[in-house]
Amino acid sequence: MVCIKQCGNFLYRCYKTVISLRSEPDLEEEMEDFVKLATKLHGHLSPGVALGIRMGQVGLKRLGLPKGDKRLFAVVETTLCLADGVQASTGCTLGHASLRIEDFGKLAFCLARSDTKSKVRVILKRVAQSPLINDWMMRKRKLNRGDEEELTKELLRLDESFFQVDEVTVEPLSQFDESEIIECEKCGEVLVEAKAVRKKGKNLCKACSDLRHYTRLVKTEEMKTG
């Protein structure tokens, strides 16, 4: 893995490699911003993050919108590094309800625009890949630091032709919930009313209706009975 302290010179080499293959005057600054943001977000510039950055760029180009446009939303098909790269290059984030994860275990993502309903799915093609990219994708061997640096550079500079881009349909992301705030009638914690579960005549949070994702180790004194 490439840690933050060791990636300064490496990032510079990545920027220059990418720019040497493209002539657009604003690409250098754009790529530099994406890589810096993704590195800060993820903790280091991994190959998966680099791929997410490049895939995000491809998706934006196909939809004709810039990073951060409020009409964008994304669905990433893995819980791993790719999502942080996509967030950095598209501006779609969990906190803005413009990104969600559907864990299919694939290095793919969908990008859509809400106004025209245009949607694309981007995935890396298996054909014409370098041996290094193939080794990484198929987990054929453990990569050393040098391999990861070279792989990251390759992924950042991949031509659009190396990606399969399909027009698709995507379920829209949920809009900001403006429903009232209520109190769970069992634990007393407050929640958005739309997320409450009606059970035996009471409004309960999901945790109190046996849908919790955690187990309480010590009962709080504020816990209500009933």
Side-chain angles (χ1 to χ4, degrees):
M1 304 297 284
V2 183
C3 69
I4 299 176
K5 292 181 180 179
Q6 298 170 325
C7 71
N9 293 332
F10 168 51
L11 295 184
Y12 180 77
R13 295 197 301 272
C14 286
Y15 308 151
K16 294 305 179 183
T17 300
V18 173
I19 301 313
S20 66
L21 300 177
R22 293 169 173 80
S23 60
E24 292 87 340
D26 60 338
L27 257 183
E28 180 171 7
E29 183 177 354
E30 178 187 74
M31 180 61 78
E32 181 175 352
D33 289 343
F34 289 169
V35 171
K36 283 183 176 179
L37 177 58
T39 301
K40 185 176 182 180
L41 178 66
H42 191 71
H44 64 277
L45 184 61
S46 70
V49 170
L51 180 60
I53 291 173
R54 189 69 190 101
M55 292 175 75
Q57 289 180 305
V58 172
L60 289 174
K61 181 179 178 181
R62 286 299 183 94
L63 293 184
L65 291 178
K67 171 190 174 181
D69 192 289
K70 293 183 178 180
R71 292 168 289 181
L72 289 168
F73 68 88
V75 181
V76 182
E77 297 182 21
T78 174
T79 60
L80 301 178
C81 309
L82 191 80
D84 285 345
V86 169
Q87 289 187 88
S89 60
T90 66
C92 297
T93 69
L94 293 170
H96 283 108
S98 57
L99 181 145
R100 76 166 181 257
I101 305 293
E102 294 288 349
D103 190 11
F104 293 172
K106 296 182 178 182
L107 294 175
F109 95 110
C110 296
L111 190 65
R113 52 184 298 169
S114 59
D115 56 343
T116 64
K117 310 302 180 184
S118 298
K119 307 171 184 69
V120 294
R121 181 175 184 266
V122 184
I123 189 169
L124 187 62
K125 292 179 180 178
R126 288 290 308 278
V127 298
Q129 290 178 10
S130 72
L132 185 56
I133 293 179
N134 188 63
D135 285 351
W136 171 68
M137 280 191 65
M138 303 309 296
R139 296 182 176 176
K140 291 185 175 181
R141 62 184 177 89
K142 184 175 178 59
L143 304 183
N144 58 40
R145 183 177 300 165
D147 289 335
E148 286 204 350
E149 289 190 3
E150 180 58 35
L151 173 60
T152 300
K153 289 191 291 184
E154 284 192 33
L155 293 170
L156 284 173
R157 69 177 182 241
L158 279 178
D159 187 78
E160 188 175 335
S161 62
F162 286 90
F163 296 95
Q164 178 177 324
V165 184
D166 298 316
E167 294 185 3
V168 297
T169 59
V170 181
E171 292 183 9
L173 299 187
S174 60
Q175 300 298 314
F176 181 77
D177 196 328
E178 297 182 352
S179 58
E180 294 183 7
I181 302 298
I182 64 172
E183 182 179 293
C184 173
E185 295 182 57
K186 184 173 182 180
C187 69
E189 295 179 355
V190 296
L191 69 151
V192 176
E193 184 177 21
K195 301 299 182 181
V197 177
R198 192 73 177 170
K199 192 172 183 179
K200 295 182 179 179
K202 294 183 178 181
N203 287 320
L204 305 179
C205 67
K206 290 184 178 181
C208 290
S209 61
D210 300 323
L211 297 174
R212 64 170 58 90
H213 60 87
Y214 62 90
T215 300
R216 190 184 299 275
L217 298 179
V218 180
K219 292 186 177 180
T220 179
E221 293 180 357
E222 286 81 15
M223 179 72 73
K224 294 183 177 182
T225 58

